Amino acid sequence: GELERPVTRMREDPRSEALATRFAAQWLRLDDLDKVHPDRLLYPDFHQRLADELRRETELFFSNLVHQDGSILDLFTADYSFMNERVARHYGIDGVIGEDFRRVDYADENRRGLLGHASILTLTSVAGRTSPVLRGKYVMEVIMGTPPPPPPPGIPTLEETEAAEEGRVLTTRERLEIHAKNPTCNACHRFMDPIGLSLDSYGVTGKWRVRENGNALDTRGDFYDGTPINNPYELQQALLKRPIPLVRTFTSNLMAYALGRRVEYFDQPTVRRIVREAEEKDYRMSAFFMGVVKSDAFRMQSVSASVQDY
């Protein structure tokens, strides 16, 4: 089937590129990028073509990792990505000329892995400002596999929190702090907000910034285990201290994609086995694909599908 090809002929088969692209888009929710339209007045250089190319950057990055059979941990640590001139200019990187995408290495330790991709940083923003809540929720849900519960009904949104005080516009962080004073809200916000704030030096469209509306940014916070996470690099380090949840979440998503259904509690032993076996192979991408393809759930599903075809 489609999932077996990238394992057997990963480097040659163009269909594995399509699989990698489709899976990455589903897992990382890249379609949500189309729902965020950064404010034209605030971000005049952000347009549909750039948005499409930022999405392409993430797809190429993931697809390359599959083709090179790299470690899944590179998703979080890679100091390179794929850019053409327009994408590189968006990141402030010189020397990339033309429309063609190519691998670009960067020295900046803060721009590492998927959480430095403008596609993901933009799809977790709103039109006129960053959203540490959305970014924190995204990391917890999509990367760590621990989605926070939905907010209780009747809670005012961040937009409804007073935006100004004594003639000064409040920073996003200050609004968050007012919002999270409600003890019911605080239960979840104390996990989500520090994650999102550690990424707040990335503006709405993923460009690096040091100020928000003229105010100095304060991105300090603590991860749920008490580790200080004051910037994207420290967040990456905190996440990688416990790689197993990240790897399990990736595996569950790959399995859901392969099976065409949600991964249920009875699939968890399979997920754990795939992760254990992949660890022995340095978490190489092929180990996860092979693990899913060899699983009973996938084989039974393939058999039932071919019986229906017959």
Side-chain angles (χ1 to χ4, degrees), residues 17 62 109 111 186 190 206:
E17 150 91 19
F62 183 82
E109 68 178 17
R111 185 73 72 177
N186 187 262
R190 67 199 171 98

Side-chain angles (χ1 to χ4, degrees), residues 186-245:
N186 187 262
C188 297
H189 277 278
R190 67 199 171 98
F191 297 119
M192 284 190 296
D193 296 358
I195 293 172
L197 285 166
S198 73
L199 297 168
D200 208 36
S201 293
Y202 295 126
V204 167
T205 64
K207 286 186 172 188
W208 192 258
R209 61 184 188 165
V210 290
R211 308 184 82 71
E212 179 194 19
N213 298 330
N215 298 308
L217 278 174
D218 180 0
T219 59
R220 291 171 304 171
D222 292 330
F223 202 49
Y224 70 87
D225 64 359
T227 306
I229 46 171
N230 304 325
N231 56 49
Y233 181 69
E234 289 178 0
L235 171 63
Q236 174 211 315
Q237 294 297 299
L239 286 169
L240 286 171
K241 267 203 321 200
R242 291 186 189 80
I244 298 295

Side-chain angles (χ1 to χ4, degrees), residues 27-281:
W27 171 40
L28 299 170
R29 303 182 183 173
L30 297 182
D31 286 346
D32 287 356
L33 189 54
D34 294 336
K35 299 174 190 167
V36 180
H37 300 287
D39 189 313
R40 278 287 167 82
L41 294 172
L42 297 173
Y43 310 100
D45 57 350
F46 194 88
H47 47 81
Q48 190 59 47
R49 186 165 183 189
L50 176 61
D52 292 343
E53 290 181 347
L54 293 174
R55 175 184 176 137
R56 186 81 191 119
E57 174 197 0
T58 304
E59 291 172 347
L60 284 170
F61 172 78
F62 183 82
S63 163
N64 170 73
L65 204 55
V66 172
H67 281 263
Q68 299 297 321
D69 202 16
S71 161
I72 188 190
L73 299 181
D74 286 3
L75 289 171
F76 310 103
T77 61
D79 57 358
Y80 63 87
S81 192
F82 291 81
M83 305 178 196
N84 64 6
E85 183 173 353
R86 198 173 290 105
V87 171
R89 200 168 33 205
H90 185 70
Y91 290 126
I93 294 171
D94 298 326
V96 180
I97 308 297
E99 294 292 319
D100 293 339
F101 278 80
R102 74 220 65 170
R103 179 179 159 138
V104 177
D105 297 354
Y106 35 68
D108 182 0
E109 68 178 17
N110 279 317
R111 185 73 72 177
R112 293 277 156 96
L114 288 170
L115 294 178
H117 282 214
S119 59
I120 287 166
L121 294 161
T122 304
L123 71 86
T124 51
S125 296
V126 292
R129 61 165 179 78
T130 57
S131 173
V133 176
L134 283 179
R135 286 181 180 170
K137 182 172 182 285
Y138 181 93
V139 171
M140 287 179 72
E141 205 163 346
V142 176
I143 306 294
M144 297 167 69
T146 50
I155 300 294
T157 66
L158 206 58
E159 268 61 38
E160 291 160 346
T161 305
E162 280 306 308
E165 125 191 318
E166 300 164 13
R168 185 175 72 81
V169 178
L170 295 183
T171 64
T172 302
R173 184 190 185 99
E174 287 167 331
R175 282 206 227 179
L176 268 181
E177 282 168 355
I178 294 167
H179 186 72
K181 273 182 184 159
N182 179 323
T184 320
C185 302
N186 187 262
C188 297
H189 277 278
R190 67 199 171 98
F191 297 119
M192 284 190 296
D193 296 358
I195 293 172
L197 285 166
S198 73
L199 297 168
D200 208 36
S201 293
Y202 295 126
V204 167
T205 64
K207 286 186 172 188
W208 192 258
R209 61 184 188 165
V210 290
R211 308 184 82 71
E212 179 194 19
N213 298 330
N215 298 308
L217 278 174
D218 180 0
T219 59
R220 291 171 304 171
D222 292 330
F223 202 49
Y224 70 87
D225 64 359
T227 306
I229 46 171
N230 304 325
N231 56 49
Y233 181 69
E234 289 178 0
L235 171 63
Q236 174 211 315
Q237 294 297 299
L239 286 169
L240 286 171
K241 267 203 321 200
R242 291 186 189 80
I244 298 295
L246 313 183
V247 179
R248 273 193 192 154
T249 303
F250 170 79
T251 307
S252 295
N253 279 279
L254 185 63
M255 200 161 167
Y257 181 86
L259 298 176
R261 63 164 174 80
R262 276 184 24 201
V263 166
E264 303 290 353
Y265 69 92
F266 51 78
D267 296 308
Q268 290 309 319
T270 306
V271 169
R272 289 196 291 273
R273 194 196 71 243
I274 292 170
V275 169
R276 270 198 312 277
E277 290 172 4
E279 188 178 8
E280 291 166 19
K281 294 174 180 165

Side-chain angles (χ1 to χ4, degrees), residues 287-309:
F288 296 97
F289 284 97
M290 281 303 288
V292 170
V293 167
K294 289 184 338 196
S295 70
D296 290 344
F298 184 77
R299 288 182 163 180
M300 283 158 59
Q301 181 237 26
S302 301
V303 167
S304 66
S306 53
V307 167
Q308 282 167 1
D309 292 343

